[in-house]
Amino acid sequence: MTSIASVTLGVADPAAADRFHTAAFGLGTRIGLRASEEPTTGFRGFTLALTVSQPSTVDGLVDAAVDAGATLLKPAAKSLWGYGGVVRAPDGTIWKVATSAKKDTGPATRRIDEVVLLLGVADVAASRRFYVDRGLAVAKSFGRVYTEFAAGSSPVKLALYRRRALAKDVGVSPDGTGSHRLTIGGDAGPFTDPDGFAWEAAAPAPTP
């Protein structure tokens, strides 16, 4: 089964971006950084979502991100599906922090249960077929609205959402041009998907 081995963000200042990610989310090596000056404007067509266990964890991570320099796009709030908030990092990446729980069941922590890369695509069904043809296994699918792929041992789960719906969900205009400033590493790469998201061959694991 094909899976994601790495997600690398293209940023103008990798050292500054690393300081932000460490202070805001403590992600360690789950998200890579690479220097990039590729032109990009507006919505880049993807969101990174952090799934956590309870509302107090959402609040703590959103507050930490804002303190580290992020812009608050959507304050943390309850919804039909749970509780969540959205920020834009100084490097331009949009992060959503969410939980399906509506009440705390223990003390606040900074534990992140899951990292999900949500790609905003023009046609969910067509992109799903494209990825299935490259070896990804569908874990959840809601027709032309949403698809989630099995993560296996991957550090990041991949999901597809309609671009306009994803932009609306995170509180931004769907308009955007230029580079996604995102590279996905996996054992099916290199290739570029129908919406211009680039995959590269995953680097082999280091030999002990």
Side-chain angles (χ1 to χ4, degrees), residues 1-207:
M1 184 182 76
T2 298
S3 60
I4 292 179
S6 62
V7 171
T8 303
L9 301 174
V11 299
D13 186 339
D18 181 62
R19 287 193 295 272
F20 168 80
H21 290 147
T22 300
F25 307 128
L27 285 171
T29 59
R30 281 194 270 188
I31 301 295
L33 301 167
R34 183 180 295 163
S36 174
E37 296 293 344
E38 291 180 294
T40 185
T41 63
F43 183 45
R44 295 181 188 169
F46 74 93
T47 297
L48 281 159
L50 306 177
T51 305
V52 301
S53 63
Q54 58 185 11
S56 61
T57 303
V58 173
D59 289 336
L61 291 171
V62 168
D63 289 347
V66 172
D67 288 346
T71 301
L72 187 62
L73 296 179
K74 277 192 170 183
K78 287 183 181 178
S79 68
L80 289 174
W81 48 262
Y83 186 84
V86 182
V87 298
R88 181 189 279 119
D91 61 72
T93 305
I94 294 175
W95 294 83
K96 180 175 183 177
V97 187
T99 178
S100 59
K102 296 189 179 181
K103 291 184 179 179
D104 289 333
T105 55
T109 72
R110 285 176 55 84
R111 177 182 167 82
I112 294 167
D113 298 326
E114 193 172 61
V115 182
V116 182
L117 172 61
L118 278 158
L119 301 183
V121 301
D123 185 330
V124 171
S127 291
R128 179 172 61 244
R129 287 193 300 271
F130 177 88
Y131 279 112
V132 167
D133 287 346
R134 276 150 188 81
L136 277 81
V138 174
K140 248 184 237 182
S141 183
F142 300 98
R144 294 182 174 274
V145 178
Y146 178 81
T147 293
E148 189 175 287
F149 296 100
S153 60
S154 299
V156 178
K157 180 182 285 187
L158 179 67
L160 309 174
Y161 204 15
R162 288 180 296 191
R163 181 184 171 102
R164 296 190 72 85
L166 180 58
K168 182 178 180 182
D169 182 57
V170 296
V172 299
S173 164
D175 299 329
T177 61
S179 172
H180 294 297
R181 289 205 183 178
L182 172 76
T183 306
I184 307 163
D187 43 16
F191 60 83
T192 299
D193 81 359
D195 294 274
F197 290 102
W199 285 62
E200 64 186 6
T207 303

